[in-house]
Amino acid sequence: MRILVVGGGTGGTIVANNLARRLSAELRAGKVTLTMLSASDRHMYQPGLLYVAFGQMMPDALYRDQASLLEPSIEFHVDPVKHFMLDEQKVRTGSDRVFGYDVLVIATGSRMVPEEIPGLVEGSETFYSEAGAIKMYKALRNFQGGRIALVVGVPHKCPIAPVEATFSLHDFFKARGIRDQVEIKYHYPINRIHSIENVAKWAKPEFDRMEVAYETLFNLKEVDVANRIIRSEEDTEYAYDLLISIPAHRGMAVIEENQLGQAGWIPTDRHQLTMAGYDNVYVLGDTTNLPVSKTGSAAHFEAEVVAENIASIVKIGEPVREYDGKVYCFIEAGHDQATYAMFNYQNPPDLKPANKSMHWFKMSYNQLYWSSVRGLL
Amino acid sequence: MSDTKVIDACNTFCPGPLMELITYMKQAEVGDTLELLSTDQGSASDVPEWVEKVGHEMIGSEKVGEVWHIKVRKAK
Amino acid sequence: MSSQTNLSDGPAGRIEENVGAADLRHLLELATLVTAARDAMSDDIVTRMSSAVNEGLILLDRVTRNPGLMRLLQALERSECQSLLEALADALTATSRELVSDPTGSGAGGGLLRLLRDPGTRDTLRLVCVLGGHLSRNLEAATKVSVSPGGSGAPL
């Protein structure tokens, strides 16, 4: 059986390594082949970008060579897919090579699209890329006081990032001794300050304590860069001195170009994680159109289900597990404290009080991630 | 008859039903109708509040069993 | 009923009976130790410790799933290998020093002849030849096993 994994991010890497471990005998015997196609020879720990934006992590600490993370039995090519020919069970890559498959895993991820909002690219700082995070750190470092606006697009990767960035802004300027000269205003698209009700209930008094202002039901329509004003679809506006954005995301362009899903999100069965209409195509991580968080944690738990099911299909001909919607999110709460939210399709998140041990757990996870993507944790 | 795009946001907590509606509303054309399915009690009031504020059109909202069916037309 | 009365009073009573003053003092000491360790920690320490644990886990995973490396470790553990390992380690140190002190080597052909006249060089050459012989025989045996009658694998 030929298994092809397209995408070398968190989801793709975990699914490939997990499969290599589960199917080691079949791979050695040549009964199964496992191939990964990725757009990059490097793997980035994306949650680290927020730390880079606040000077708490250096960019080189975010990367490992992708090949070094993969089991030796995985055939790895840096050769992104350009054409999906699902009916012929083939893909064609950028170098014009054709790879056939019996089982395909699509884990191409998502990308920010700040260009969809007029003025957002030139008018705002964002930490969703390495260059952006470094630029944002320099802007924060040079900021001597004034009004900071934080805006949030829909949908976005890492739903907890807006709250974490706000806590970090407060701590950053407090540490610099100029918090009293900085006005922070948080803007959020729906009618509470976070999509998770319990997070919103917990964060509201924290924002009040930190004297962070907030406006809900604010969906950014445009940035007037010359006059430094943001305007919303709801017809409100705010004048800023420094704008920080969490831009809206889309799935990767190749998904849209191949008409696999609107806006790059592939229609996916919420329990089996198979693509609508194709039982031999699995989709995971940000690439799905599932109503779950676009985060490495969801990709991780989905990857475990996909790998277990593909392995069981090889061994007994049937899948054995269903994805229950599990997501586990660390929440950095400022003051060297953290908490977490865990939920699935049936159980809403129940937030625990933030403490220092959870902050260290997050710090530890920043390192243990590399064991996690290798399929160890 | 124009097609109604159905958004199944039942049993989801993050990003949640209203975020899902906003996502699909951005992808829709003016005049399109979207039907949001939600098991979150808050959706019955949250969604109309946003729809009114942003200037879209509420078509209807009814609870069938445990599921809210909320229909909205994109107006701008 | 008396048993119910005992149940409701029981747990507290049992704790008091079983935990003596000395035990409580020890618990208190332990709690102080935990607090002291917590206060002494920093983000940097946690990051470094986790990084070490991470690398250790990866190394352990690689070694334990690699039959060749496990065999090598087993062989290197044998007491008769120890003197060879120590000699190898000392030789590496001495070689590094010698190369630093005389990076260009002393002469071409003449220097090589001088090296060959050294009894130590001759012993080492003999060691390499013996090792090569064993390696060759073991490789031959391994190849024969992989193509032995009944085996389905292709020859190496």
Side-chain angles (χ1 to χ4, degrees):
Chain A
M1 180 183 275
R2 299 163 301 165
I3 304 167
L4 181 62
V5 179
V6 178
T10 302
T13 306
I14 292 177
V15 89
N17 280 330
N18 195 318
L19 276 168
R21 287 166 187 271
R22 288 177 186 277
L23 298 173
S24 58
E26 289 82 354
L27 283 158
R28 256 199 317 274
K31 291 178 185 163
V32 168
T33 62
L34 184 50
T35 306
M36 173 183 278
L37 302 173
S38 176
S40 172
D41 62 351
R42 293 200 303 167
H43 186 112
M44 183 203 258
Y45 176 58
Q46 296 179 49
L49 286 169
L50 184 63
Y51 295 104
V52 173
F54 286 94
Q56 294 162 338
M57 202 185 250
M58 287 296 112
D60 55 357
L62 303 177
Y63 293 99
R64 293 282 189 282
D65 284 339
Q66 177 65 13
S68 76
L69 302 175
L70 296 174
E71 288 287 300
S73 53
I74 300 165
E75 187 187 325
F76 174 57
H77 301 278
V78 181
D79 197 0
V81 170
K82 296 289 175 200
H83 299 287
F84 288 89
M85 297 166 276
L86 301 184
D87 293 328
E88 299 166 49
Q89 300 192 181
K90 284 176 189 167
V91 300
R92 179 173 286 121
T93 66
S95 71
D96 218 25
R97 288 179 71 182
V98 174
F99 290 83
Y101 63 82
D102 298 300
V103 173
L104 175 67
V105 179
I106 307 180
T108 41
S110 61
R111 69 200 153 114
M112 60 168 170
V113 283
E115 61 273 16
E116 289 185 351
I117 301 286
L120 193 59
V121 174
E122 56 274 36
S124 76
E125 303 295 337
T126 186
F127 52 88
Y128 275 74
S129 70
E130 182 191 336
I134 295 169
K135 183 168 164 280
M136 176 169 153
Y137 174 70
K138 289 176 180 170
L140 290 174
R141 181 86 190 145
N142 293 323
F143 195 68
Q144 297 305 324
R147 290 150 71 100
I148 293 184
L150 188 136
V151 289
V152 180
V154 182
H156 58 268
K157 194 165 8 193
C158 190
I160 215 67
V163 172
E164 287 185 322
T166 304
F167 284 124
S168 295
L169 281 170
H170 172 78
D171 283 358
F172 182 84
F173 289 112
K174 203 167 176 205
R176 280 185 54 195
I178 58 165
R179 178 63 184 94
D180 56 340
Q181 292 158 51
V182 179
E183 181 181 305
I184 301 172
K185 189 166 180 205
Y186 173 96
H187 301 79
Y188 203 66
I190 64 168
N191 37 9
R192 54 176 181 246
I193 62 171
H194 195 264
S195 57
I196 299 175
E197 195 169 358
N198 283 339
V199 171
K201 278 182 186 161
W202 160 76
K204 199 162 176 282
E206 293 293 310
F207 278 19
D208 292 338
R209 177 183 58 78
M210 298 185 302
E211 295 183 356
V212 168
Y214 44 84
E215 179 174 339
T216 54
L217 289 176
F218 186 102
N219 285 276
L220 187 64
K221 183 168 74 180
E222 62 182 13
V223 180
D224 179 346
V225 182
N227 297 303
R228 293 187 175 170
I229 293 171
I230 47 172
R231 295 194 182 88
S232 72
E233 295 282 356
E234 292 80 4
D235 285 332
T236 58
E237 62 179 43
Y238 179 73
Y240 65 86
D241 295 303
L242 179 65
L243 177 61
I244 294 169
S245 71
I246 291 170
H249 280 62
R250 293 173 87 101
M252 298 312 273
V254 68
I255 304 299
E256 288 187 77
E257 286 156 11
N258 282 269
Q259 276 124 37
L260 301 187
Q262 197 180 10
W265 315 119
I266 299 179
T268 307
D269 183 280
R270 65 160 73 186
H271 297 292
Q272 289 301 315
L273 301 173
T274 46
M275 180 177 173
Y278 295 92
D279 286 346
N280 65 336
V281 179
Y282 290 85
V283 190
L284 57 96
D286 291 359
T287 319
T288 74
N289 75 336
L290 295 180
V292 297
S293 310
K294 301 216 173 285
T295 149
S297 153
H300 182 134
F301 294 119
E302 288 167 0
E304 289 186 351
V305 172
V306 168
E308 193 169 348
N309 282 346
I310 295 174
S312 72
I313 287 169
V314 169
K315 289 172 192 286
I316 64 170
E318 290 290 336
V320 289
R321 265 183 80 188
E322 299 198 319
Y323 177 56
D324 64 357
K326 184 176 177 180
V327 178
Y328 181 111
C329 285
F330 287 104
I331 305 173
E332 286 279 17
H335 282 85
D336 291 341
Q337 301 215 327
T339 179
Y340 72 100
M342 191 181 81
F343 50 96
N344 58 26
Y345 291 142
Q346 300 302 325
N347 303 298
D350 175 23
L351 222 61
K352 308 279 190 301
N355 62 45
K356 201 161 189 174
S357 302
M358 275 307 297
H359 167 65
W360 285 336
F361 187 17
K362 174 70 201 280
M363 291 278 113
S364 300
Y365 184 76
N366 291 340
Q367 301 301 318
L368 294 171
Y369 172 78
W370 302 111
S371 293
S372 174
V373 284
R374 282 180 169 99
L376 265 173
L377 294 178
Chain B
M1 261 183 70
S2 67
D3 285 345
T4 297
K5 169 84 180 170
V6 177
I7 305 158
D8 182 0
C10 294
N11 299 315
T12 61
F13 304 104
C14 182
L18 182 50
M19 284 281 209
E20 290 295 325
L21 180 66
I22 294 173
T23 298
Y24 282 92
M25 195 62 96
K26 281 167 59 180
Q27 297 166 23
E29 303 289 332
V30 172
D32 285 356
T33 301
L34 304 182
E35 182 176 357
L36 179 71
L37 309 185
S38 171
T39 45
D40 177 10
Q41 289 304 310
S43 295
S45 55
D46 290 354
V47 175
E49 185 187 350
W50 175 71
V51 168
E52 189 190 348
K53 193 163 183 197
V54 82
H56 296 309
E57 185 188 342
M58 274 295 295
I59 295 178
S61 174
E62 61 168 336
K63 196 175 181 188
V64 181
E66 292 299 307
V67 180
W68 281 97
H69 293 246
I70 304 166
K71 282 191 179 179
V72 181
R73 184 176 294 129
K74 180 163 174 157
K76 60 183 230 186
Chain C
M1 278 166 67
S2 61
S3 61
Q4 281 176 331
T5 315
N6 284 344
L7 270 179
S8 60
D9 294 343
R14 277 201 294 274
I15 288 171
E16 278 173 17
E17 282 164 24
N18 294 325
V19 180
D23 294 329
L24 282 174
R25 201 170 56 246
H26 292 153
L27 268 178
L28 205 66
E29 276 178 22
L30 205 63
T32 311
L33 186 69
V34 169
T35 309
R38 200 172 172 275
D39 288 345
M41 295 280 261
S42 70
D43 282 6
D44 234 24
I45 295 173
V46 174
T47 300
R48 281 196 302 273
M49 275 172 50
S50 313
S51 176
V53 169
N54 174 60
E55 298 302 332
L57 273 173
I58 291 162
L59 185 68
L60 193 68
D61 177 55
R62 282 201 168 149
V63 169
T64 52
R65 290 188 307 127
N66 186 321
L69 264 179
M70 287 305 282
R71 183 71 181 272
L72 188 64
L73 276 177
Q74 278 171 0
L76 292 178
E77 272 173 1
R78 295 168 74 130
S79 57
E80 59 264 39
C81 287
Q82 299 312 305
S83 54
L84 188 66
L85 278 177
E86 284 166 17
L88 185 66
D90 293 344
L92 279 174
T93 314
T95 306
S96 312
R97 284 192 189 134
E98 202 166 311
L99 285 175
V100 169
S101 63
D102 185 13
T104 54
S106 41
L112 203 60
L113 275 176
R114 255 198 313 284
L115 266 177
L116 282 173
R117 276 202 292 276
D118 179 355
T121 308
R122 287 203 300 275
D123 283 349
T124 307
L125 278 175
R126 186 173 151 263
L127 185 143
V128 170
C129 290
V130 172
L131 181 69
H134 281 298
L135 192 60
S136 168
R137 278 192 290 280
N138 289 345
L139 273 175
E140 205 175 313
T143 313
K144 270 184 192 155
V145 167
S146 76
V147 294
S148 61
S152 55
L156 288 173

